[in-house]
Amino acid sequence: MPERKSYHHGNLRQALVEATAALIEEQGPQAFTLTEAARRAGVSAAAPYRHFKGRDDLLEEVARQGFVEFAVRLETAFDGGRPRPLSAFLRMGQAYLDFASDRPGYYMAMFESGISVAGNAQLATASGRAQGVLIAGAEALAARLPPESRPPSRMVANHIWALSHGVVELFSRGKPGCRSPVGPSEMLESGAIIYLRGLGLITD
């Protein structure tokens, strides 16, 4: 069990977030309790209420922090669309898969916990930032087309997001896709290329 020094150093809020992310990774987003999170953080069962209204409030903070890191990873991968919009766009797909693999507890809190993103302004902002990177990528891909021929950038971003999420779900946590002869990176990249080519966003 972690020592209580996190609390004494004023880091209780973050200690609870990290403990909750670990519990979600182990048990799923529906199974953890505030009492377990407090125990994992090394504090009393009453201590979480000094920072969070309840279980859902803590879960939303885990998801918010996840979206912030997720957005940073996408921004870094996209790198302003350099050297080419397509290669930059495809790097974001790999960054999506890497985040889901590296930070499963946060990923599950973000996408599998049933929380309402729209009901929390800070959470909605963080989620919107991540989506905004994908939208920027779609806009960069469409820039060479005449305006009247460009597909809606938000639609493209949402479709690629859904495709990425589907690949994660297919290959994660012992699901059948784990036995596929095609790896997740290859599956996502080939699916994205087929989709983008179908929209006329790439021709090579």
Side-chain angles (χ1 to χ4, degrees):
M1 177 185 296
E3 299 178 3
R4 290 177 180 264
K5 63 181 181 180
S6 294
Y7 168 69
H8 290 305
H9 287 177
N11 296 323
L12 174 58
R13 181 181 178 86
Q14 189 60 32
L16 288 167
V17 167
E18 293 171 5
T20 299
L23 287 168
I24 292 172
E25 180 179 349
E26 296 167 10
Q27 304 176 11
Q30 306 301 331
F32 89 94
T33 65
L34 274 179
T35 299
E36 288 177 303
R39 185 182 302 115
R40 181 70 63 95
V43 296
S44 71
Y49 293 98
R50 299 175 185 175
H51 295 277
F52 300 100
K53 298 175 183 177
R55 180 185 181 281
D56 287 349
D57 193 31
L58 174 53
L59 186 56
E60 288 175 6
E61 177 59 16
V62 176
R64 187 197 68 79
Q65 291 192 20
F67 272 117
V68 169
E69 180 180 341
F70 181 53
V72 170
R73 289 195 184 204
L74 291 180
E75 289 165 353
T76 301
F78 186 56
D79 190 25
R82 293 180 286 268
R84 294 191 309 146
L86 177 58
S87 59
F89 196 83
L90 295 177
R91 283 199 308 267
M92 284 197 289
Q94 186 59 52
Y96 193 113
L97 298 182
D98 289 344
F99 177 81
S101 176
D102 296 344
R103 309 288 268 172
Y106 289 89
Y107 185 90
M108 284 187 273
M110 292 155 62
F111 297 117
E112 301 175 16
S113 64
I115 59 173
S116 172
V117 172
N120 181 314
Q122 292 183 327
L123 180 56
T125 297
S127 174
R129 176 181 171 184
Q131 186 183 48
V133 188
L134 289 171
I135 292 173
E139 290 173 346
L141 284 171
R144 65 177 185 80
L145 298 175
E148 65 275 10
S149 300
R150 297 172 187 171
S153 297
R154 185 174 294 274
M155 178 198 76
V156 174
N158 286 339
H159 285 172
I160 293 297
W161 192 314
L163 177 60
S164 304
H165 185 71
V167 171
V168 169
E169 288 302 298
L170 183 63
F171 283 87
S172 66
R173 295 184 291 284
K175 293 180 180 177
C178 294
R179 296 187 290 273
S180 170
V182 179
S185 297
E186 182 181 352
M187 181 175 289
L188 177 57
E189 182 171 320
S190 61
I193 288 174
I194 291 168
Y195 171 73
L196 296 172
R197 183 173 288 128
L199 289 176
L201 292 176
I202 57 175
T203 56
D204 53 350

